[in-house]
Coordinates of all heavy atoms in Angstrom, one line a residue:
D141 N 99.5 144.4 41.3 CA 98.7 144.7 42.5 C 97.4 143.9 42.3 O 96.9 143.7 41.2 CB 98.4 146.2 42.6 CG 99.6 147.0 42.9 OD1 100.7 146.5 43.2 OD2 99.5 148.2 42.7
D142 N 96.8 143.5 43.4 CA 95.5 142.8 43.4 C 94.7 143.5 44.6 O 95.3 144.3 45.3 CB 95.7 141.3 43.6 CG 94.5 140.6 43.0 OD1 93.4 141.1 42.8 OD2 94.7 139.4 42.6
R143 N 93.5 143.0 44.7 CA 92.6 143.6 45.8 C 91.7 142.5 46.2 O 91.0 141.8 45.4 CB 91.9 144.7 45.3 CG 90.9 145.4 46.2 CD 90.2 146.6 45.7 NE 91.2 147.7 45.6 CZ 91.5 148.5 46.6 NH1 91.0 148.4 47.8 NH2 92.4 149.5 46.4
L144 N 91.6 142.3 47.6 CA 90.6 141.4 48.2 C 89.3 142.2 48.1 O 89.2 143.2 48.8 CB 90.9 140.9 49.6 CG 89.9 140.1 50.3 CD1 89.7 138.8 49.6 CD2 90.4 139.9 51.7
I145 N 88.2 141.8 47.4 CA 87.1 142.5 47.2 C 85.8 141.9 47.9 O 84.8 142.6 48.1 CB 86.8 142.8 45.7 CG1 86.6 141.5 45.0 CG2 87.8 143.7 45.1 CD1 86.1 141.7 43.5
E146 N 85.9 140.7 48.3 CA 84.7 140.0 48.9 C 85.2 138.7 49.6 O 86.2 138.2 49.2 CB 83.7 139.7 47.8 CG 82.4 139.2 48.2 CD 81.4 138.9 47.1 OE1 81.7 139.4 45.9 OE2 80.4 138.2 47.3
A147 N 84.3 138.2 50.4 CA 84.5 136.9 51.0 C 83.2 136.3 51.2 O 82.1 136.9 51.4 CB 85.3 137.1 52.4
R148 N 83.2 134.9 51.2 CA 82.0 134.1 51.4 C 82.2 133.0 52.3 O 83.3 132.4 52.3 CB 81.4 133.6 50.1 CG 80.8 134.6 49.2 CD 80.2 134.0 48.0 NE 81.0 134.6 46.9 CZ 81.3 134.1 45.7 NH1 80.9 132.9 45.4 NH2 82.0 134.8 44.9
A149 N 81.2 132.6 53.1 CA 81.3 131.5 53.9 C 79.9 131.0 54.2 O 78.9 131.8 54.4 CB 82.0 131.8 55.3
D150 N 79.6 129.7 54.2 CA 78.3 129.2 54.3 C 77.8 129.1 55.7 O 76.6 128.7 55.9 CB 78.1 127.8 53.6 CG 79.0 126.7 54.3 OD1 79.6 127.0 55.2 OD2 79.0 125.6 53.7
M151 N 78.6 129.4 56.8 CA 78.2 129.3 58.1 C 77.7 130.6 58.7 O 77.4 130.7 59.9 CB 79.3 128.6 59.0 CG 80.3 129.6 59.5 SD 81.2 130.3 58.2 CE 82.6 131.0 59.1
S152 N 77.5 131.6 57.8 CA 76.9 132.9 58.3 C 76.0 133.5 57.3 O 76.2 133.2 56.1 CB 78.1 133.9 58.6 OG 78.8 134.2 57.5
E153 N 75.1 134.3 57.7 CA 74.1 134.8 56.8 C 74.8 135.9 55.9 O 74.4 136.0 54.7 CB 73.0 135.6 57.6 CG 72.2 134.6 58.4 CD 71.2 135.2 59.3 OE1 71.1 136.5 59.4 OE2 70.5 134.5 60.0
R154 N 75.8 136.6 56.4 CA 76.5 137.6 55.6 C 78.0 137.6 55.9 O 78.4 137.3 57.1 CB 76.0 139.0 56.0 CG 75.3 139.7 54.9 CD 74.7 141.1 55.2 NE 75.3 141.9 56.2 CZ 74.9 142.3 57.3 NH1 73.7 141.9 57.7 NH2 75.5 143.1 58.1
V155 N 78.8 137.9 55.0 CA 80.2 138.0 55.2 C 80.7 139.4 54.6 O 80.4 139.7 53.5 CB 81.1 136.8 54.6 CG1 82.6 137.0 54.9 CG2 80.5 135.5 55.0
E156 N 81.4 140.1 55.4 CA 81.9 141.4 55.0 C 83.3 141.6 55.4 O 83.9 141.0 56.3 CB 81.1 142.6 55.7 CG 79.7 142.6 55.4 CD 78.9 143.7 56.1 OE1 79.5 144.4 57.0 OE2 77.7 143.9 55.8
L157 N 84.0 142.5 54.6 CA 85.3 142.9 54.9 C 85.3 144.1 55.8 O 84.6 145.0 55.5 CB 86.1 143.2 53.6 CG 86.2 142.0 52.6 CD1 86.9 142.6 51.3 CD2 86.9 140.9 53.2
H158 N 85.9 144.0 57.0 CA 85.8 145.1 58.0 C 87.2 145.6 58.4 O 88.2 144.9 58.2 CB 85.2 144.5 59.3 CG 83.7 144.5 59.2 ND1 82.9 144.5 60.4 CD2 82.8 144.5 58.2 CE1 81.6 144.5 60.1 NE2 81.6 144.5 58.8
T159 N 87.2 146.8 59.0 CA 88.4 147.4 59.6 C 88.0 148.1 60.8 O 86.8 148.3 61.1 CB 89.1 148.3 58.6 OG1 90.4 148.6 59.1 CG2 88.4 149.6 58.4
H160 N 88.9 148.6 61.6 CA 88.7 149.4 62.8 C 89.2 150.8 62.5 O 90.3 151.0 62.0 CB 89.4 148.9 64.0 CG 88.8 147.6 64.6 ND1 89.0 146.4 64.1 CD2 87.9 147.5 65.6 CE1 88.3 145.5 64.8 NE2 87.6 146.2 65.7
I161 N 88.3 151.8 62.8 CA 88.7 153.2 62.5 C 88.4 154.0 63.8 O 87.4 153.8 64.5 CB 87.7 153.8 61.4 CG1 88.1 153.0 60.1 CG2 87.9 155.2 61.2 CD1 87.1 153.3 58.9
D162 N 89.3 155.0 64.0 CA 89.2 155.9 65.1 C 88.3 157.1 64.6 O 88.8 157.8 63.7 CB 90.5 156.4 65.6 CG 90.4 157.3 66.8 OD1 89.3 157.9 67.1 OD2 91.4 157.5 67.5
D163 N 87.2 157.3 65.0 CA 86.2 158.4 64.5 C 86.6 159.7 65.1 O 85.9 160.7 65.0 CB 84.8 158.0 64.8 CG 84.2 157.0 63.8 OD1 84.8 156.9 62.7 OD2 83.2 156.4 64.2
G164 N 87.7 159.7 65.8 CA 88.2 161.0 66.4 C 87.9 161.2 67.8 O 88.4 162.1 68.5
D165 N 87.1 160.3 68.4 CA 86.9 160.3 69.8 C 87.7 159.4 70.6 O 87.5 159.2 71.8 CB 85.3 160.0 70.1 CG 84.9 158.7 69.5 OD1 85.8 157.9 69.0 OD2 83.7 158.4 69.6
G166 N 88.7 158.8 70.0 CA 89.6 157.9 70.7 C 89.1 156.5 70.9 O 89.8 155.6 71.3
V167 N 87.9 156.2 70.4 CA 87.3 154.9 70.4 C 87.3 154.2 69.0 O 86.9 154.8 68.1 CB 85.9 155.0 71.0 CG1 85.3 153.6 71.0 CG2 85.8 155.6 72.3
M168 N 87.9 153.0 69.0 CA 88.0 152.4 67.7 C 86.6 151.7 67.4 O 86.0 151.1 68.3 CB 89.1 151.3 67.7 CG 90.4 151.8 68.0 SD 91.0 152.9 66.7 CE 91.4 151.8 65.4
K169 N 86.1 151.9 66.2 CA 84.8 151.4 65.8 C 85.0 150.6 64.5 O 85.8 150.9 63.6 CB 83.8 152.5 65.5 CG 83.6 153.3 66.7 CD 82.6 154.4 66.5 CE 82.3 155.1 67.8 NZ 82.2 156.5 67.7
M170 N 84.3 149.4 64.4 CA 84.4 148.5 63.3 C 83.5 149.1 62.1 O 82.5 149.6 62.3 CB 83.8 147.2 63.7 CG 84.6 146.1 63.0 SD 84.1 144.4 63.5 CE 83.2 144.5 65.0
R171 N 84.1 149.1 60.9 CA 83.4 149.6 59.8 C 83.6 148.6 58.6 O 84.7 148.0 58.4 CB 84.0 150.9 59.3 CG 83.8 152.0 60.3 CD 82.4 152.6 60.2 NE 82.3 153.7 61.0 CZ 81.7 153.8 62.1 NH1 81.1 152.7 62.7 NH2 81.5 154.9 62.8
H172 N 82.5 148.4 57.8 CA 82.5 147.7 56.6 C 83.4 148.4 55.6 O 83.4 149.6 55.5 CB 81.1 147.5 56.1 CG 81.0 146.9 54.7 ND1 81.5 145.7 54.4 CD2 80.5 147.3 53.6 CE1 81.3 145.3 53.2 NE2 80.7 146.4 52.6
V173 N 84.2 147.7 54.8 CA 85.1 148.3 53.8 C 84.6 147.8 52.4 O 85.1 146.7 52.0 CB 86.6 147.9 54.0 CG1 87.5 148.6 53.0 CG2 87.0 148.3 55.4
P174 N 83.6 148.5 51.8 CA 83.1 148.0 50.5 C 84.1 147.8 49.4 O 83.9 147.0 48.5 CB 82.0 148.9 50.2 CG 82.3 150.1 51.0 CD 83.1 149.8 52.2
D175 N 85.2 148.6 49.4 CA 86.2 148.5 48.3 C 87.2 147.5 48.6 O 88.1 147.2 47.7 CB 86.9 149.9 48.2 CG 85.9 151.0 47.7 OD1 84.9 150.7 47.0 OD2 86.2 152.2 47.9
G176 N 87.2 146.9 49.7 CA 88.1 145.8 50.1 C 89.5 146.3 50.4 O 89.7 147.4 50.7
F177 N 90.5 145.4 50.3 CA 91.8 145.6 50.8 C 92.8 145.5 49.7 O 92.8 144.4 49.0 CB 92.2 144.7 51.9 CG 91.2 144.7 53.1 CD1 90.7 143.5 53.5 CD2 90.9 145.8 53.7 CE1 89.8 143.5 54.5 CE2 90.0 145.9 54.8 CZ 89.4 144.7 55.2
A178 N 93.6 146.4 49.4 CA 94.7 146.4 48.4 C 95.8 145.4 48.9 O 96.2 145.4 50.0 CB 95.3 147.8 48.2
I179 N 96.2 144.6 47.9 CA 97.3 143.7 48.2 C 98.4 144.0 47.1 O 98.4 143.5 46.0 CB 96.9 142.2 48.0 CG1 95.5 141.9 48.7 CG2 98.0 141.3 48.6 CD1 95.5 142.1 50.2
P180 N 99.3 145.0 47.5 CA 100.3 145.4 46.5 C 101.2 144.2 46.0 O 101.5 143.3 46.7 CB 101.1 146.4 47.3 CG 100.2 146.8 48.4 CD 99.4 145.6 48.7
A181 N 101.6 144.3 44.8 CA 102.6 143.4 44.2 C 103.8 143.2 45.1 O 104.4 144.2 45.5 CB 103.0 143.8 42.8
G182 N 104.2 142.0 45.3 CA 105.4 141.8 46.1 C 105.3 142.1 47.6 O 106.3 142.1 48.3
Q183 N 104.1 142.3 48.1 CA 103.9 142.7 49.5 C 102.8 141.8 50.1 O 102.2 140.9 49.4 CB 103.5 144.1 49.6 CG 104.6 145.1 49.2 CD 104.3 146.5 49.4 OE1 103.6 146.9 50.3 NE2 104.7 147.4 48.5
S184 N 102.6 142.0 51.4 CA 101.5 141.2 52.1 C 100.6 142.2 52.9 O 101.0 143.4 53.1 CB 102.2 140.2 53.0 OG 102.9 140.8 54.0
H185 N 99.5 141.7 53.2 CA 98.5 142.5 54.0 C 98.0 141.6 55.1 O 97.6 140.4 54.8 CB 97.4 142.9 53.1 CG 96.4 143.8 53.7 ND1 96.6 145.2 53.8 CD2 95.2 143.6 54.4 CE1 95.6 145.7 54.5 NE2 94.8 144.8 54.8

């Protein structure tokens, strides 16, 4: 298993890993994911 933990790009002041989450009100909101994204062995994300 591996994990995407960060990203960098020189054309922006900041780069973050984000996701969309339903906070329970039916509206999707973008959120920073500080722990990154799991990339399981033999799979894709």
Side-chain angles (χ1 to χ4, degrees):
D141 294 348
D142 208 337
R143 177 174 292 276
L144 175 63
I145 56 172
E146 188 181 345
R148 283 184 243 150
D150 64 2
M151 83 297 192
S152 66
E153 294 170 6
R154 247 177 35 242
V155 181
E156 295 180 352
L157 302 176
H158 277 203
T159 195
H160 284 84
I161 296 173
D162 184 344
D163 281 341
D165 57 6
V167 178
M168 298 300 283
K169 296 181 179 143
M170 217 176 340
R171 294 283 187 255
H172 173 59
V173 182
D175 293 336
F177 308 124
I179 318 294
Q183 296 182 35
S184 61
H185 186 83

